[in-house]
Amino acid sequence: MSNNEIPYKIYLEESEMPKAWYNMRADMKNKPAPLLNPGTLQPMTVEELSVVFCEELAKQELDNDTKFIEIPDEIKSFYKMYRPSPLVRAYCLEEKLGTPAHIYYKFEGNNTSGSHKLNSAIAQAYYAKKQGLKGVTTETGAGQWGTALSMACSYLGLDCKVYMVKCSYEQKPFRREVMRTYGASVTPSPSDTTNVGRKLLAEHPGTTGSLGCAISEAVEVAVGTEGYRYVLGSVLNQVLLHQSVIGLETKAALDKYGIKADIIIGCAGGGSNLGGLIAPFMGEKLRGEADYRIIAVEPKSCPSFTRGTYAYDFCDTGMVCPLAKMYTLGSDFIPAPNHAGGLRYHGMSSTLSQLYADGYMEATSVEQTEVFKAAEYFARVEGILPAPESSHAIKVAIDEALKCKETGEAKNIVFGLTGTGYFDMYAYEAYNDGKMTDYIPTDDEIRKSLEKLPKV
Ligand SMILES: *Cc1c(COP(=O)(O)O)cnc(C)c1O
């Protein structure tokens, strides 16, 4: 099929939709390092994890061997409300850039939560419901995960308690109100409702909070409340598993038109959208069936892959969660307050960390003013107002397309457009007013934070 027959949006028929999630770990020779019990330093068992997580999710978390896990019918029905998400051929962007490259993006912002996070929220809520739980607790930073989870919980009739990082709670009142509209309770973190929160407030009065602290609060409440478990929207193996639906749809759509991706690009916060997007492509790469250039893009203000250390670290500030081996900046690391949007977690998915350590993917970092410049360009050319997080991938996709312009190569560039920026207008306002700044942590700051890594 010739390229001009490729539609602006490639959709899939119902019969072409993924029926199972794909577990990349099954094809990895070097498996991601196991989660460790912070007390005994022994690998966590399903039983231990099940105190915090739903049992089925604890099993998925530790399952390094099952390649395909069937998507339950109830989840498939929910997916039908907003999936398949479109794979868009960015004809307008290509023309404007004057590049011979073909650019495709997978747009995950077409649901009320505004991001890809709903793909895992519905799965986690489903398994909680199936286990007969009353509700779940979680944290949210920029707010997308909390929104997605509150939607999934209201659909299934589960209670949802969200601990929202205080600065976001104050800066993003509309996110908070969407969550409350879907029935979730939203508490600014640190709060005086938990031991961890009270301790932090006593030590750092006036703190605006961090993801690591909100996680500790949510875990404490889940473990201490009958019929509740904790759920997390990124970083974990189970989340990457659920998000593989993004990559499976993308690959099916490309295959339908005989298109072979050359470069696959995604923004990386905790690694869930990137891990999901690349899953089936990485599978081929791991099995030696095909090769792809895979690029993770992170903010220069929170550069876990590009400036962090590959080591066991705490996943949260309160040190109640299992230890994970990952690229990390240290669990005390808090990105500068001028950093807009998500992508502010100190660590990275242990699956992606292992793949990066083994040379299966690249990573790069970009400054936020460049990111917003790319976001503005993209909005004006392609019509979608992108989330700041997603715009990290846009920036690098544009750079790669411009390189193709120099070399005259018609590469196929695929990137993940993870969400919309409607709730990030304060950040856009700062950019439009010329008040947005960049902050790059010094080597000294990163070293100080890494000094506190647990001795494993
Ligand atoms: C949460 C989020 C991200 C980053 O999280 P990952 O787990 O790294 O995917 C990126 N984009 C959007 C829109 C998000 O909501």
Side-chain angles (χ1 to χ4, degrees):
M1 205 172 276
S2 92
N3 275 331
N4 26 5
E5 287 174 57
I6 297 169
Y8 183 80
K9 284 181 185 172
I10 308 179
Y11 279 106
L12 296 173
E13 303 297 328
E14 200 168 320
S15 60
E16 298 167 317
M17 294 286 286
K19 292 173 184 61
W21 293 302
Y22 166 62
N23 181 5
M24 264 189 298
R25 288 168 283 160
D27 281 313
M28 290 169 68
K29 278 191 207 82
N30 294 334
K31 305 293 182 193
L35 292 171
L36 300 184
N37 180 312
T40 64
L41 299 185
Q42 292 303 303
M44 293 289 289
T45 61
V46 170
E47 293 68 39
E48 288 172 316
L49 274 182
S50 300
V51 176
V52 179
F53 299 127
C54 307
E55 211 173 305
E56 198 57 37
L57 293 168
K59 283 185 196 153
Q60 291 180 359
E61 191 59 31
L62 299 185
D63 187 339
N64 284 339
D65 305 305
T66 313
K67 232 181 233 199
F68 291 100
I69 294 177
E70 211 181 307
I71 305 174
D73 286 339
E74 292 85 340
I75 299 177
K76 274 192 290 201
S77 321
F78 187 87
Y79 279 170
K80 275 180 204 160
M81 290 198 277
Y82 68 102
R83 308 203 68 82
S85 68
L87 181 73
V88 182
R89 169 80 186 270
Y91 281 115
C92 304
L93 181 62
E94 291 169 18
E95 194 183 313
K96 188 84 176 174
L97 292 171
T99 177
H102 295 179
I103 308 173
Y104 299 85
Y105 57 88
K106 181 73 167 163
F107 182 46
E108 290 291 321
N110 257 342
N111 65 74
T112 297
S113 79
S115 84
H116 67 287
K117 295 212 170 62
L118 196 53
N119 302 330
S120 184
I122 186 60
Q124 297 192 44
Y126 167 81
Y127 291 114
K129 182 78 183 177
K130 205 171 152 212
Q131 192 174 320
L133 298 179
K134 292 182 202 144
V136 291
T137 72
T138 199
E139 80 295 331
T140 198
Q144 287 93 314
W145 167 246
T147 314
L149 188 70
S150 61
M151 286 176 69
C153 285
S154 79
Y155 181 78
L156 294 169
L158 278 173
D159 182 41
C160 178
K161 298 185 196 300
V162 180
Y163 283 82
M164 187 169 188
V165 179
K166 193 181 269 164
C167 62
S168 291
Y169 183 89
E170 283 158 6
Q171 278 169 15
K172 293 181 144 190
F174 295 139
R175 277 255 167 238
R176 186 176 79 212
E177 292 315 314
V178 179
M179 286 185 251
R180 293 190 341 137
T181 302
Y182 282 95
S185 71
V186 187
T187 309
S189 165
S191 75
D192 59 8
T193 65
T194 64
N195 293 327
V196 167
R198 283 186 292 267
K199 182 160 170 266
L200 215 95
L201 283 173
E203 285 167 9
H204 306 278
T207 175
T208 52
S210 70
L211 264 183
C213 172
I215 294 175
S216 302
E217 291 207 274
V219 171
E220 185 182 317
V221 173
V223 173
T225 315
E226 166 76 26
Y228 280 74
R229 291 291 185 281
Y230 167 72
V231 294
L232 179 62
S234 180
V235 186
L236 296 172
N237 293 329
Q238 55 185 281
V239 184
L240 269 71
L241 174 74
H242 307 145
Q243 295 295 358
S244 69
V245 71
I246 304 173
L248 292 163
E249 282 183 11
T250 302
K251 187 146 193 315
L254 292 174
D255 286 351
K256 201 164 149 173
Y257 287 88
I259 304 156
K260 156 82 172 55
D262 296 301
I263 308 177
I264 304 166
I265 300 165
C267 63
S272 75
N273 86 83
L274 180 65
L277 174 67
I278 67 175
F281 303 96
M282 184 60 86
E284 289 189 341
K285 194 163 167 160
L286 287 164
R287 297 189 300 272
E289 296 164 7
D291 199 14
Y292 302 96
R293 247 190 97 195
I294 293 170
I295 310 174
V297 189
E298 53 187 18
K300 277 212 195 289
S301 55
C302 191
S304 348
F305 267 140
T306 49
R307 292 177 68 199
T309 294
Y310 189 30
Y312 270 103
D313 194 7
F314 300 104
C315 295
D316 62 324
T317 317
M319 305 173 186
V320 292
C321 294
L323 302 178
K325 189 175 178 193
M326 55 188 175
Y327 280 87
T328 179
L329 296 162
S331 61
D332 262 6
F333 184 86
I334 297 180
N338 69 348
H339 172 97
L343 310 182
R344 46 171 62 244
Y345 188 60
H346 67 274
M348 184 55 67
S349 144
S350 61
T351 301
L352 292 190
S353 291
Q354 187 63 49
L355 290 167
Y356 181 64
D358 288 342
Y360 284 101
M361 52 188 275
E362 307 164 28
T364 185
S365 64
V366 288
E367 291 184 21
Q368 72 172 353
T369 45
E370 305 176 287
V371 166
F372 274 80
K373 202 167 150 198
E376 179 192 72
Y377 189 87
F378 184 83
R380 292 180 184 181
V381 175
E382 282 288 320
I384 294 174
L385 182 82
E389 296 90 340
S390 323
S391 305
H392 289 69
I394 297 176
K395 162 71 183 147
V396 172
I398 290 177
D399 287 350
E400 289 298 328
L402 290 173
K403 281 185 207 160
C404 289
K405 188 173 174 177
E406 275 169 31
T407 60
E409 287 171 288
K411 285 186 184 161
N412 289 320
I413 300 173
V414 177
F415 74 89
L417 190 70
T418 50
T420 65
Y422 293 134
F423 292 111
D424 298 281
M425 297 324 291
Y426 283 125
Y428 275 95
E429 182 184 50
Y431 177 75
N432 291 331
D433 288 345
K435 289 181 182 151
M436 180 168 274
T437 51
D438 292 310
Y439 182 79
I440 303 176
T442 63
D443 287 343
D444 216 39
E445 278 173 76
I446 293 179
R447 196 177 50 240
K448 277 208 185 100
S449 162
L450 286 173
E451 271 168 11
K452 293 183 194 155
L453 286 181
K455 308 278 175 280
V456 177

